[in-house]
Amino acid sequence: MFPFPRLMTGSEYLNEDLKRREEKKKSKQDASVKGDKLLTISARIAEHDLASKIQNVLKWLSKSYEVRIVVTGDGAGNKAKQEDIAQRFEASIKDTGKIVQKRLRDNDLRFNILPTAGGSAVAGKKGLLDVKETTNGLNEPQAARGLHTQARSAA
């Protein structure tokens, strides 16, 4: 008859599992792109909203996401506006990403932005919760939430 396969001991099973986990972790770190994000915007987007979307894209690129952008248009008159939006993205992300596969399909302009290897940090960007060390006249730091009161002693 056929010989039975050798059963693994608990320690052998644990070692195999640890090797598998290490290989999986290593392959995950080697991957240059984590995943992808999709951003759909209109060609009639306001200036402030466009700046906000560009900041979102920069954040995603710094986290190694591929970004797919669709600029929708209503008709033939928006093609110039769509191209202008694509150029604004290209100028803003030149240090952190690269535009690939720009194409015009129906009334939509579609392009992908791939993160570059050196684009891991967004230069000059401060977080919302960063506290600025300023004084309120008494050499005490101001509160982070905007409560700017001075402590006066009752003399």
Side-chain angles (χ1 to χ4, degrees):
M1 290 274 196
F2 297 107
F4 289 109
R6 183 177 163 274
L7 295 177
M8 292 175 64
T9 64
S11 63
E12 290 173 338
Y13 182 76
L14 181 63
N15 287 335
E16 288 283 324
D17 191 40
L18 288 175
K19 285 180 187 175
R20 230 177 291 122
R21 284 184 188 180
E22 286 297 322
E23 289 172 5
K24 188 175 181 182
K25 185 189 271 187
K26 189 174 183 181
S27 68
K28 202 176 214 183
Q29 289 174 348
D30 291 343
S32 62
V33 177
K34 275 190 196 177
D36 60 339
K37 298 283 187 176
L38 176 65
L39 179 65
T40 304
I41 57 177
S42 171
R44 297 181 294 165
I45 189 169
E47 189 67 30
H48 180 266
D49 294 340
L50 180 60
S52 174
K53 297 300 181 189
I54 289 173
Q55 288 300 316
N56 285 350
V57 169
L58 287 172
K59 182 173 64 172
W60 292 333
L61 289 173
S62 71
K63 293 181 178 180
S64 298
Y65 282 97
E66 175 184 351
V67 182
R68 298 169 192 244
I69 299 178
V70 179
V71 183
T72 61
D74 295 337
N78 285 332
K79 300 231 185 296
K81 182 69 175 163
Q82 289 172 326
E83 192 61 40
D84 181 50
I85 290 172
Q87 288 175 355
R88 290 270 313 269
F89 271 104
E90 191 168 10
S92 299
I93 58 105
K94 64 183 173 192
D95 296 333
T96 57
K98 183 172 103 173
I99 291 184
V100 294
Q101 292 184 350
K102 189 156 80 168
R103 60 213 174 273
L104 192 61
R105 187 152 139 213
D106 298 331
N107 287 330
D108 298 340
L109 176 66
R110 299 169 183 257
F111 55 95
N112 295 356
I113 303 175
L114 294 176
T116 56
S120 62
V122 177
K125 178 129 169 61
K126 286 198 153 227
L128 294 176
L129 300 178
D130 289 346
V131 178
K132 221 194 308 187
E133 285 295 325
T134 58
T135 58
N136 59 4
L138 298 175
N139 292 329
E140 299 171 359
Q142 291 180 348
R145 302 189 110 207
L147 302 174
H148 307 296
T149 60
Q150 294 182 357
R152 293 195 172 115
S153 61

